[in-house]
Amino acid sequence: MVGLRVLVLVVLAGALQAVGAALPPPERSYNILMLLPVSSKSHRNVFMPLAKALTQRGHKVTMLSNSPLSEAEEIPGLTHYENPLVHFKIDTINTFDMMDDHEKMFKMFNERLPLMARDIYDVPIVKNLYNRRKEFDVILLDSIFNEVMYPFTFNHTFIAVSTGGLDPTMSSIMGNTLNPAYVPNFLEVPKPLSTLGRWKNLALSIFFPISWEYSVQAPIQDEITKRFPDLPSFREMARNVSLTLMNSHFSTSLVVPLLPNQVEVGGLHIEPTKRLPKDLSDFLSGTTPVVYMSLGSVARSSAMPQEYKDIFFSAFAKLPYKVLWKFEEEPQQKLKNVFVQKWMPQQDILAHPNVKVFISHCGLLGSLEALHLGTPILGLPVFADQPKNAKLHEVMGIGRKISWPDLTEQLLIDTIEELITNPMYQENIKSISAAMKDRPMSAVETAVYWTEYVIRHQGAVHLRSPERDLTWVQLLHLDLLLLLHVALLLIYVAIWKFVSFCFGRKDRGNKSKRKNE
Ligand SMILES: *[C@@H]1O[C@H](CO)[C@@H](O)[C@H](O)[C@H]1NC(C)=O
Ligand SMILES: *[C@@H]1O[C@H](CO)[C@@H](O)[C@H](O)[C@H]1NC(C)=O
């Protein structure tokens, strides 16, 4: 009897911990809509823990995403719909094709996003959700690549989820224009502090958002305007965002001044460590250091050019370590020290003390996991923000980076060796990991708190920055500076006229005297 009661208490305590014991119970059950029909699975992984925590607090969550939920991902209280359109299905995209080629990446979005905008409101389930949008207390929108969903947010309360962390353009739209003297843009150097770096960063900070807006967003906007002629532009609709949940944390990246409605929930997708399956835990046990390699869900190893595959196989064969490799096809060679599997419980693997190096494409989510769990990173970035993340890891002293064109068997072996034998990397990443975990509320609790807060306060308009009402001319004081310059010029001219009048008369007097002589 007592045993049973203890058991019930333990279970109850566990449940409370899971849903955030730090938070008071919600006033009522809310109806929440999450929109991410264009996003990759990894972006959805940022939403899932929040969806789970919200349903555990008695709210109803409806989600529109780009891929079906696996059985293990299903959550009671969550209604999930898949966007059936093929335009952004993962098997139609090969990121190795776009390696270090921003133009190709732009082109892909440029071709496919307008098609998405054209077609998505014909999908019955999307139409239905759109017509029902007023039933929801709040809409959570993945703010990157999902512009097609802005019509949902008009006349509505919505929260932007920035799965890629800080987005300077969104920040500026919200009324927090960040200074490019030290805030890097999306693609560039992590620390733009040298003179040349500042020039480059300033130019990119200005021209990247402009070219994104004109070459990628404008055609999407055209399609949306055709369908919803009465709606204002995306930018105008984005301005009404109540809050941004950002997948970043000051302990792991840049420290920037933030508004009260820019909330950092970096590591939101990181779940408590679970026990590993038996085959994996057997493989990891012992005293031999382990290298774990995964290029994520978008840059699949199976899409990797053959020459690179050969390099990995021959380098791994020579390592005095064990290797766990997330690889989506039958391996071409069976090696004794290499364990290959299509899918890996990555977080639980990175948490294992024997795992000493994480070979990664440096996507933001994997990088945050490595930081949180304290595993040094060997970066092999493929595209988008990955090169920047990899460079940042080098700057922070928690990892090394190899560019794909430089990749050789020897370089790979040497770099792994360096990361395992030089204790600096371990020490640095362990201290960051400790700082990242040291928070008043967990990332999930923070996200739950602010989502409920926005609903409780009908959009929480009191959080909005007064900068939103200024034009960039006012923000940079350009009008005042112009006025000041004009005034100074007038004063200067007046003084000059006065002086030349006084002395000039004498001069003229002298001259005329001379003439008369
Ligand atoms: C938005 O709200 C305004 C004022 O309540 C209303 O006049 C307008 O029709 C609404 N527009 C849409 C598209 O719902
Ligand atoms: C702007 O946001 C507020 C608060 O969430 C909401 O009530 C209002 O309908 C929104 N207006 C527009 C035009 O989207």
Side-chain angles (χ1 to χ4, degrees):
M1 211 39 192
V2 174
L4 189 67
R5 216 177 293 160
V6 169
L7 186 72
V8 168
L9 277 179
V10 167
V11 169
L12 210 63
L16 272 178
Q17 220 165 17
V19 295
L23 301 176
E27 47 168 15
R28 65 178 166 89
S29 166
Y30 298 135
N31 204 1
I32 297 165
L33 178 63
M34 297 182 167
L35 296 173
L36 49 152
V38 182
S39 310
S40 66
K41 241 186 204 167
S42 62
H43 283 213
R44 189 176 67 199
N45 290 345
V46 178
F47 281 79
M48 291 307 282
L50 178 57
K52 187 169 175 184
L54 287 168
T55 56
Q56 282 170 343
R57 285 173 67 75
H59 305 309
K60 257 178 70 186
V61 179
T62 306
M63 181 188 281
L64 175 69
S65 90
N66 191 20
S67 45
L69 285 187
S70 71
E71 215 167 294
E73 287 170 315
E74 277 169 23
I75 299 168
L78 169 71
T79 311
H80 178 267
Y81 299 108
E82 183 194 355
N83 167 17
L85 296 177
V86 296
H87 310 309
F88 277 91
K89 293 298 180 200
I90 185 67
D91 40 11
T92 69
I93 300 170
N94 182 351
T95 51
F96 280 99
D97 274 354
M98 291 183 276
M99 200 148 81
D100 286 330
D101 190 344
H102 298 327
E103 229 167 89
K104 255 194 181 160
M105 188 176 77
F106 259 60
K107 197 158 161 276
M108 180 194 70
F109 288 119
N110 192 305
E111 284 169 0
R112 299 184 189 202
L113 280 171
L115 298 180
M116 188 61 97
R118 186 194 65 192
D119 299 338
I120 196 160
Y121 288 92
D122 289 329
V123 173
I125 184 57
V126 177
K127 231 194 252 176
N128 177 274
L129 282 176
Y130 181 75
N131 293 333
R132 285 170 45 208
R133 67 192 185 285
K134 288 287 174 196
E135 291 171 17
F136 298 97
D137 293 294
V138 73
I139 293 174
L140 274 75
L141 172 74
D142 187 347
S143 63
I144 191 157
F145 308 141
N146 288 276
E147 288 92 344
V148 297
M149 289 289 106
Y150 269 117
F152 277 80
T153 68
F154 186 66
N155 270 1
H156 213 299
T157 299
F158 79 104
I159 294 175
V161 180
S162 190
T163 49
L166 178 72
D167 172 0
T169 307
M170 190 64 179
S171 185
S172 160
I173 289 173
M174 291 180 75
N176 182 18
T177 302
L178 297 167
N179 188 344
Y182 67 97
V183 177
N185 68 86
F186 179 61
L187 298 170
E188 244 325 286
V189 277
K191 297 218 163 171
L193 298 179
S194 68
T195 307
L196 183 66
R198 273 165 43 227
W199 272 117
K200 237 174 128 177
N201 193 55
L202 180 61
L204 276 164
S205 300
I206 294 170
F207 292 114
F208 183 78
I210 293 178
S211 68
W212 185 263
E213 192 169 339
Y214 283 91
S215 74
V216 180
Q217 282 184 332
I220 316 171
Q221 180 78 66
D222 289 345
E223 289 294 338
I224 293 293
T225 307
K226 265 188 228 161
R227 175 132 350 207
F228 302 97
D230 300 334
L231 291 190
S233 66
F234 297 146
R235 185 172 262 273
E236 200 45 44
M237 291 192 271
R239 268 169 53 83
N240 201 37
V241 68
S242 288
L243 184 111
T244 315
L245 293 174
M246 301 191 298
N247 193 17
S248 59
H249 190 252
F250 50 78
S251 60
T252 68
S253 53
L254 195 74
V255 172
V256 288
L258 295 176
L259 299 170
N261 58 349
Q262 292 179 294
V263 177
E264 291 200 300
V265 292
L268 181 63
H269 67 293
I270 299 171
E271 305 207 41
T273 304
K274 294 183 294 293
R275 204 203 298 238
L276 286 164
K278 176 134 181 21
D279 53 350
L280 281 174
S281 70
D282 285 351
F283 182 78
L284 287 173
S285 64
T287 52
T288 315
V290 180
V291 176
Y292 168 62
M293 168 155 170
S294 164
L295 300 181
S297 57
V298 177
R300 285 150 300 147
S301 340
S302 51
M304 190 193 295
Q306 185 61 40
E307 53 180 304
Y308 294 144
K309 287 183 199 170
D310 294 340
I311 292 175
F312 286 112
F313 277 105
S314 54
F316 290 164
K318 289 187 185 146
L319 282 179
Y321 310 119
K322 292 192 253 186
V323 179
L324 263 181
W325 190 358
K326 175 186 168 285
F327 193 63
E328 298 83 354
E329 60 186 39
E330 263 318 294
Q332 57 199 46
Q333 286 172 48
K334 286 251 185 294
L335 297 171
K336 238 179 55 208
N337 65 331
V338 181
F339 185 109
V340 173
Q341 201 166 273
K342 281 196 177 64
W343 183 85
M344 298 268 187
Q346 176 156 303
Q347 296 180 11
D348 306 327
I349 290 171
L350 291 175
H352 196 286
N354 282 353
V355 176
K356 300 292 187 200
V357 176
F358 175 26
I359 303 183
S360 166
H361 63 307
C362 295
L364 181 68
L365 301 188
S367 301
L368 284 171
E369 287 165 24
L371 283 155
H372 189 92
L373 299 163
T375 312
I377 305 162
L378 198 174
L380 283 159
V382 180
F383 85 135
D385 61 336
Q386 298 159 9
K388 183 177 101 176
N389 297 338
K391 266 193 229 169
L392 188 62
H393 299 153
E394 281 198 329
V395 173
M396 293 160 87
I398 58 165
R400 293 287 296 271
K401 165 181 181 265
I402 301 179
S403 309
W404 286 93
D406 299 340
L407 184 68
T408 60
E409 188 188 310
Q410 199 52 47
L411 182 62
L412 188 60
I413 293 175
D414 292 346
T415 314
I416 292 172
E417 201 65 49
E418 158 79 4
L419 284 167
I420 290 184
T421 52
N422 185 340
M424 174 192 83
Y425 300 100
Q426 286 281 345
E427 284 161 17
N428 287 343
I429 204 161
K430 294 279 187 254
S431 78
I432 291 174
S433 163
M436 192 180 173
K437 289 175 185 160
D438 194 347
R439 309 189 204 185
M441 277 197 285
S442 75
V444 179
E445 281 167 349
T446 310
V448 168
Y449 173 82
W450 284 103
T451 304
E452 291 179 351
Y453 183 97
V454 164
I455 303 173
R456 266 200 307 274
H457 298 277
Q458 290 86 37
V461 289
H462 58 278
L463 297 180
R464 292 181 186 188
S465 159
E467 193 193 292
R468 288 166 73 259
D469 302 324
L470 299 182
T471 63
W472 60 272
V473 170
Q474 292 169 318
L475 181 63
L476 296 172
H477 298 291
L478 293 185
D479 50 346
L480 301 191
L481 287 174
L482 184 71
L483 219 64
L484 188 67
H485 277 83
V486 169
L488 285 176
L489 197 72
L490 285 179
I491 291 170
Y492 174 77
V493 168
I495 292 174
W496 187 76
K497 281 262 190 231
F498 179 73
V499 170
S500 67
F501 176 74
C502 295
F503 291 90
R505 203 158 53 176
K506 250 191 227 156
D507 262 9
R508 239 177 287 135
N510 287 343
K511 261 184 213 153
S512 50
K513 253 186 220 159
R514 261 183 235 125
K515 244 187 202 164
N516 289 343
E517 279 169 5

